[in-house]
Amino acid sequence: MALTKVSPQMQSRDFESVTSLLADTVLAYAGTGTDKAVAGNTVVTRSEGFSYEIAASGATDEDVTTAGGVKLYVVGDPTLKAFGAQGDAVTNKQS
C-alpha cells in the first residue's frame, strides 16, 4: 500500500482491489503515520480504479466500511462492485 500526495492537505492511499480494501484492518482512525485514517482523505483501488473518501469516524451515512472499521464514501459514478459486490451471480454479501 502506497501513500501519494494529492494536495497540500489531502493524501491518497491505494489498495490492490476492492476486496483487499474491504478486508483491511491496518488503516484505522487511531492509526499513526500512513496507517491513520483521516476524514476527507482519498482511498483508491488499483485494479478497478475506484475512489473512496474517508468518512469521519462518527459518520452514519457511509457507503462501505473496512474490516478495521474505517467508513468510506464511494466517489464518482461507480458500479455495484465498488460497494463490494462480487458480480458473480452466486456470492451474496448482504448483511
Side-chain angles (χ1 to χ4, degrees), residues 55-91:
S57 60
T60 58
D61 61 344
E62 71 276 0
D63 295 320
V64 294
T65 304
T66 68
V70 176
K71 301 172 183 182
L72 305 169
Y73 300 117
V74 178
V75 176
D77 190 23
T79 68
L80 289 176
K81 289 185 177 185
F83 295 89
Q86 297 300 309
D88 60 7
V90 176
T91 306

